[in-house]
Amino acid sequence: MVPLPDVAQDHLQGITAAMVTHCQLGHSDHLDGAAKKFLLSQKIPVFCRLDDETFIGKRGISTVPLKDEQRQPFFDGFITPIPTIHGYGWIARFMGPGVGYFLELPGAPTLYVSGDTILTKDVRHCLKTLKPDIAVVAAGNASLDIGKDILMSLDEIMEFIRIAPGKVIANHLEAINHCPVTRPQLRELAQKAGLSEKLLIPADGETLSFSAEPAFAQAI
């Protein structure tokens, strides 16, 4: 629904690796034809689920398959895939499996990218036990024309923020046509819940910078 920022192409040139949370069963908002062509042409390795390795690699893209819930090497640090459930009820089977990623890199805050998921025991475990300094939540409360919601409800998003030990960045907002939650709506809910200080809602094209001390995180 919105174009990429003007600086997007410049940032793409600096990419050395990619992570795919899910991509099969029509999830082209996470891995489309242009992305596949870019990854192949630049010979960029793609970290992914074991079940996605063949799907991604059939075009010749270099893949690094990962086992769910196991801490594995990632450059000079580690990556741990956290299983996701992409929806409530039977619609989750239709959407297919996926993962989020918990990243540990030297001299940087730990980062949890939750991926497209509802609030599950695995998500809770990551927030409470692995204690990421920064957590990214898909906060659009997406739904399709059939079935129940395929992302966290607003109540679950607030609980995610409450459980998270550090800052939370909300994404999947106002960019996909099946995600109805708006930035002002989420900001107002967080304020009413007393969670405004923990929540960051980037504007289109905004950059968020973090030091190794997450307490001094700031938007620029």
Side-chain angles (χ1 to χ4, degrees):
M1 293 173 61
V2 293
L4 289 172
D6 293 337
V7 295
Q9 292 303 320
D10 294 335
H11 288 307
L12 285 174
Q13 301 312 309
I15 291 177
T16 55
M19 299 179 299
V20 172
T21 58
H22 61 296
C23 58
Q24 300 188 51
L25 302 178
H27 293 286
S28 58
D29 57 325
H30 290 266
L31 185 65
D32 62 8
K36 293 174 185 176
K37 185 181 296 185
F38 171 76
L39 294 169
L40 179 59
S41 66
Q42 300 298 314
K43 296 181 172 56
I44 295 172
V46 176
F47 290 76
C48 63
R49 299 176 57 253
L50 281 173
D51 291 349
D52 289 334
E53 178 186 12
T54 301
F55 181 83
I56 297 173
K58 67 183 180 182
R59 288 198 175 191
I61 297 172
S62 175
T63 59
V64 184
L66 302 169
K67 296 180 179 179
D68 286 359
E69 299 182 276
Q70 292 192 23
R71 191 171 184 246
Q72 293 144 93
F74 182 75
F75 294 93
D76 295 330
F78 298 94
I79 184 171
T80 304
I82 310 297
T84 62
I85 297 179
H86 200 340
Y88 302 90
W90 67 266
I91 195 70
R93 295 193 298 274
F94 175 76
M95 299 301 291
V99 292
Y101 294 106
F102 177 73
L103 301 177
E104 304 166 84
L105 290 170
T110 54
L111 173 67
Y112 171 42
V113 180
S114 67
D116 282 6
T117 186
I118 60 175
L119 188 59
T120 68
K121 62 179 181 62
D122 291 310
V123 174
R124 293 174 188 272
H125 178 266
C126 181
L127 293 173
K128 292 181 177 180
T129 304
L130 300 182
K131 298 183 181 304
D133 297 316
I134 304 164
V136 180
V137 61
N141 186 220
S143 62
L144 303 178
D145 293 334
I146 57 174
K148 297 181 179 179
D149 292 345
I150 58 175
L151 288 179
M152 295 183 200
S153 66
L154 289 170
D155 287 342
E156 284 191 342
I157 295 169
M158 290 302 108
E159 186 174 354
F160 182 103
I161 299 169
R162 191 174 293 109
I163 295 172
K167 294 288 187 179
V168 174
I169 302 172
N171 71 352
H172 241 314
L173 290 167
E174 299 179 351
I176 308 294
N177 60 8
H178 59 280
C179 292
V181 176
T182 65
R183 291 180 174 99
Q185 180 183 12
L186 188 63
R187 192 174 289 111
E188 182 179 354
L189 283 172
Q191 185 175 7
K192 290 180 178 178
L195 299 171
S196 297
E197 293 300 315
K198 296 181 69 176
L199 178 63
L200 299 172
I201 306 176
D204 293 339
E206 183 179 1
T207 297
L208 299 178
S209 294
F210 300 89
S211 69
E213 297 293 335
F216 298 105
Q218 61 178 351
I220 62 172

